[in-house]
Amino acid sequence: MTDRTMSPERVSREYEAGLRFNQGIGLYDCVRTNENFFIGKQWEGVQANGLPTPVFNFLKRVVLFSVANVSTDNLKLHAKPLPSSGERPAAEVELLTDILNDQFTSIFEFNKMGACIREFCRNAAVDGDGCMYVWWDPDQETGQLARGGIHVEVLPNTQVLFGNPNDRELQSQPYILVEKRMLLEDARALMVNGDPGLVTPDDKESGDPGLDQLGGEKVTVLTRLWKSKKTGTIHAYQCTRQAELRGEWDLLVKRYPLTWMSWDFIQDCYHGQAMITGLIPNQIFVNKLFAMSMISLMTLAYPKVIYDRTRVSKWSSRVGAAIGVNGNVEGVAKIMDPASISPQIGQFIDLAVGYTQKFLGASDVALGDTRPDNTSAIIALQRAAATPMELTKQGLLQSIEDLGRIFMDFMGAYYGERFVEVPIPQNAMLQPVSPALPGQEPARSVVVPFDFSALLSIPCSVELDVGASSYWSEIASMQTLDNLLMQGKISTVEYLKRLPAGQITDRESLIALLERQEALAAGIPEDGTPRGASPTVGADIIRPDSGTAGGGYGTLQRKINETGEIPKER
C-alpha cells in the first residue's frame, strides 16, 4: 500500500461505514444515556411540569464498587525469561529482563498508569468498552542524550472504529481508525505538506455534538492504522475529511498500539455490553416510586378542613384567628384524614436496590454496611462477593499484558542506545570497592550503555506476567517465605530478595553484606572467580552492534576483575 492508494476520500468512506455500524447498534445513544445516569442526570428529556424529580443514584455506588474491585490492586508488569533455547545464555536473558522491568516501572510512573487503568475500567463499565492508545513522543526529555518517550492515552470507545466490526480481536483487524476532535489551529499545525487553509472546521458526527460546539472551531482528525504486508509492521496515515495532514509512514512496530477491553462480550460485535446498561430500568423504577411518593405527600399529607359555608362565610388558617359562625357551632367544621401511602412502596424500593446490588456482588458485607463481629467470616464473604468480577478482572490483566508487549515493540524500535543500571556480578562485589567511604556499603550496580534494538532480535525470549500486589497477597507471600526459610528450603539472601517492598529498611545493604559473607565462606580466590566456575559470561546484548570483541558490559567486567575497583566516569 502506497501514498497513491491512500487518500482523505478513502479514509472518509471507511469512517462513514464505521459511523453507520455504531449508529445501527445504537452505540452513541446508549453511551450518552449511560453517562447521564452515571453522573446523576437521570431525568434528562422528561417534562416534569413542576413535579418533583428525585435522584437516588445507587447505580453509581454499584459501578464504582465493581470498578474498584477490578482495578484497585497495584498492577505491575514483570518480565521473566522463558526456558532457554540454547541460543543465548540464561544470564544474558535475565539481565535483559531486569532492564525491561526497570523500564516498565519508569513508563508506569511517567504515564500515571494507576489512574489510566482506573479510567480504562470505568469507561468499560459505563460505556461498554475501554481503550488505551500508545504513541511515541520524540521530544520527551529523558535526562540523557537520547530523547523521546512512550505515552499512554485513554480513548472513549466512540472514537475508535474497527475495520471489521464483527470481529472483536484487535490485532487481526484489517485497519483501525482513531478519531480525535482538535482545535482548527492545532490541526493545521499537523500538516506536513500542503496548504493549511484546506483544513476547515466541521461538525462532530460520533455522538452528541452539544458540548463540542461550545468549545470553538474544531475539526475531526482521523488516523488510519493498518498492517503492511510488505514490511510486517504497522503503518499510519493522518487526514481530515477533506485534506491530508501527513502521508503514509511506518510506525516500526508489529502490533497495533492499542489495547481494548469490553466489560461483557456481545457476539459478532467489537463493542461490548456496559455494566450500567441493564441496570437503568431498575434506577428508573426507584426514581419513579420516590417521585410518586413525594407527590402523594405534597398533596395529601396535610389535613383538609371541611366546613359549612352556610354558617361560615370564609375559613381562616391563621394561628389564633377568630372565625365567625352563623348559628350553632356544632358540626360547623370537620378535619378529613388524608389517605396513607402503602408500606409496600418502601418495601419494593428496598428490594429493587438490594437485589440489584446483590446480583452484582455489591452486597452489604462487600460494601462495608455490616457490623464486624466476625472478621474472618467477613473477609471470606467479601472474597466470595468479588467472584463475579473475576472474569472481568482477568480481561483487564490480559489487556495490561498486551500493553506490555506494545511497550517492548516501541522500546526496540525507538529507544536506541541509552544508559541503564545493571547489577554488578557477585564475584566482583567481593573485591574491595574504591572509593567507598568508611561505614558505607559499596555500590551493587553500575550504569552502562544498552542498545534496546537487541529486543528485536530476541522477541520470544521474554514472557510478560501481570500480577497484583495488594495487602492480602503480600501477607500470603510473607507467610510462604517464612515457611520456606524455617524449613531450610531457601537461604536468608533469597528470603530478603523476595520480601515485599517496604518490609525492611536498607534491605539492599543487608543483602550485599550477607552475600559477601557467604562468598568468603565458600573460599573464592582473589581474581573474583569461584573455583570450578568459568569466567562471567559478558552480556553481549549490551551494545550488540559493537565491533569490539567483548565490548560494553564485558569490558567493564574484565576491568573490575583486574583492578578490583569500579571505574569512575570522567
Side-chain angles (χ1 to χ4, degrees):
M1 190 171 293
T2 64
D3 288 332
R4 293 190 299 272
T5 62
M6 192 60 58
S7 64
E9 291 76 16
R10 174 176 178 177
V11 175
S12 182
R13 289 194 300 270
E14 295 171 345
Y15 176 61
E16 291 173 356
L19 291 178
R20 285 194 299 270
F21 178 84
N22 289 341
Q23 291 168 353
I25 64 175
L27 175 69
Y28 302 123
D29 293 337
C30 179
V31 169
R32 181 174 63 252
T33 302
N34 290 359
E35 289 286 345
N36 285 338
F37 268 80
F38 181 73
I39 64 177
K41 297 170 63 177
Q42 299 179 354
W43 293 88
E44 198 77 3
V46 177
Q47 297 295 332
N49 296 324
L51 297 178
T53 55
V55 174
F56 293 85
N57 194 0
F58 69 93
L59 284 188
K60 186 170 186 177
R61 188 187 189 197
V62 174
V63 171
L64 291 180
F65 166 79
S66 300
V67 171
N69 190 28
V70 170
S71 61
T72 189
D73 290 329
N74 182 21
L75 299 178
K76 294 183 179 180
L77 278 173
H78 177 70
K80 59 182 180 181
L82 291 172
S84 177
S85 61
E87 296 180 1
R88 288 182 176 273
E92 293 185 7
V93 182
E94 289 183 3
L95 177 62
L96 173 66
T97 56
D98 290 340
I99 295 173
L100 279 177
N101 289 332
D102 292 340
Q103 296 301 317
F104 287 151
T105 302
S106 176
I107 295 173
F108 265 55
E109 180 63 26
F110 177 81
N111 289 282
K112 303 295 186 292
M113 287 302 300
C116 289
I117 292 172
R118 287 189 291 272
E119 183 181 356
F120 178 70
C121 293
R122 182 263 184 201
N123 288 349
V126 177
D127 302 336
D129 313 286
C131 179
M132 283 191 283
Y133 177 53
V134 182
W135 52 281
W136 176 257
D137 180 10
D139 300 323
Q140 178 183 319
E141 293 289 346
T142 62
Q144 305 182 24
L145 293 178
R147 296 166 63 91
I150 299 173
H151 282 248
V152 180
E153 181 180 358
V154 180
L155 297 179
N157 63 343
T158 56
Q159 295 183 3
V160 181
L161 306 173
F162 283 14
N164 182 7
N166 300 115
D167 184 7
R168 64 172 180 261
E169 180 59 39
L170 185 144
Q171 295 300 332
S172 64
Q173 292 297 317
Y175 65 87
I176 295 177
L177 294 180
V178 178
E179 172 193 354
K180 190 172 184 179
R181 293 288 293 172
M182 300 182 64
L183 291 173
L184 192 60
E185 294 301 324
D186 294 339
R188 287 174 174 173
L190 295 177
M191 180 169 282
V192 178
N193 297 310
D195 182 12
L198 296 176
V199 180
T200 57
D202 55 16
D203 295 328
K204 182 178 180 180
E205 298 186 50
S206 57
D208 186 8
L211 293 178
D212 183 79
Q213 294 174 351
L214 301 176
E217 291 186 328
K218 293 189 178 70
V219 62
T220 299
V221 175
L222 301 173
T223 302
R224 188 186 196 272
L225 306 172
W226 73 94
K227 291 184 179 179
S228 172
K229 295 182 180 180
K230 182 178 180 180
T231 63
T233 56
I234 302 297
H235 285 213
Y237 177 84
Q238 197 170 56
C239 66
T240 66
R241 299 289 297 272
Q242 302 85 15
E244 178 182 294
L245 299 179
R246 183 177 181 183
E248 177 182 346
W249 77 95
D250 191 350
L251 294 183
L252 304 177
V253 295
K254 296 183 178 180
R255 294 176 177 85
Y256 283 117
L258 299 104
T259 58
W260 187 267
M261 183 187 79
S262 297
W263 191 263
D264 200 0
F265 295 119
I266 297 178
Q267 294 295 335
D268 297 329
C269 183
Y270 78 100
H271 286 296
Q273 176 82 354
M275 173 186 180
I276 203 172
T277 300
L279 308 181
I280 288 179
N282 298 13
Q283 181 70 66
I284 294 176
F285 173 75
V286 171
N287 288 348
K288 284 185 175 180
L289 283 184
F290 271 113
M292 290 186 289
S293 300
M294 288 181 177
I295 294 173
S296 176
L297 289 174
M298 293 169 62
T299 55
L300 300 175
Y302 299 100
K304 299 292 184 180
V305 178
I306 302 175
Y307 63 94
D308 187 353
R309 294 184 62 183
T310 62
R311 289 185 283 178
V312 179
S313 60
K314 186 178 181 181
W315 187 267
S316 177
S317 298
R318 290 183 301 156
V319 178
I323 301 175
V325 178
N326 295 324
N328 190 3
V329 296
E330 295 293 335
V332 71
K334 182 180 180 180
I335 296 177
M336 185 178 66
D337 295 332
S340 60
I341 300 177
S342 173
Q344 290 184 340
I345 295 178
Q347 295 173 3
F348 271 94
I349 290 176
D350 292 339
L351 285 174
V353 176
Y355 275 121
T356 301
Q357 294 179 347
K358 181 180 179 180
F359 292 155
L360 294 173
S363 61
D364 290 339
V365 173
L367 293 173
D369 296 338
T370 305
R371 291 182 58 188
D373 296 329
N374 188 335
T375 55
S376 299
I378 288 177
I379 293 173
L381 289 174
Q382 287 178 337
R383 291 180 177 177
T387 303
M389 296 291 102
E390 191 62 29
L391 292 178
T392 305
K393 190 170 186 177
Q394 292 302 319
L396 171 65
L397 298 183
Q398 182 62 51
S399 297
I400 305 303
E401 182 174 338
D402 294 340
L403 193 67
R405 299 187 185 278
I406 295 172
F407 288 164
M408 290 180 57
D409 275 359
F410 274 89
M411 290 182 202
Y414 292 99
Y415 267 29
E417 186 176 280
R418 300 192 177 195
F419 286 95
V420 297
E421 186 175 351
V422 297
I424 299 176
Q426 181 176 329
N427 56 349
M429 290 295 299
L430 298 176
Q431 303 299 328
V433 179
S434 176
L437 299 176
Q440 186 181 40
E441 294 294 335
R444 303 186 69 250
S445 60
V446 66
V447 176
V448 296
F450 173 69
D451 192 348
F452 280 86
S453 62
L455 296 175
L456 301 177
S457 62
I458 45 175
C460 298
S461 298
V462 174
E463 177 186 1
L464 292 178
D465 183 23
V466 183
S469 179
S470 63
Y471 172 76
W472 300 110
S473 63
E474 288 186 0
I475 293 294
S477 176
M478 290 187 61
Q479 291 175 348
T480 303
L481 287 173
D482 290 341
N483 293 333
L484 291 174
L485 181 64
M486 288 187 295
Q487 296 173 11
K489 302 297 184 182
I490 60 175
S491 65
T492 305
V493 173
E494 295 296 327
Y495 174 84
L496 292 175
K497 286 181 177 180
R498 287 162 175 77
L499 274 181
Q503 299 295 328
I504 295 180
T505 59
D506 201 15
R507 180 176 61 175
E508 300 300 324
S509 299
L510 181 59
I511 292 175
L513 178 62
L514 292 175
E515 285 181 340
R516 286 199 303 272
Q517 291 176 353
E518 291 178 358
L520 290 174
I524 295 180
E526 291 297 324
D527 62 356
T529 304
R531 295 188 182 94
S534 61
T536 304
V537 288
D540 58 349
I541 57 175
I542 305 293
R543 284 186 178 175
D545 299 330
S546 174
T548 305
Y553 186 66
T555 304
L556 172 67
Q557 177 62 53
R558 288 195 298 274
K559 188 70 174 177
I560 294 176
N561 291 340
E562 292 172 0
T563 64
E565 298 182 356
I566 299 177
K568 296 187 297 181
E569 277 190 51
R570 307 197 176 199

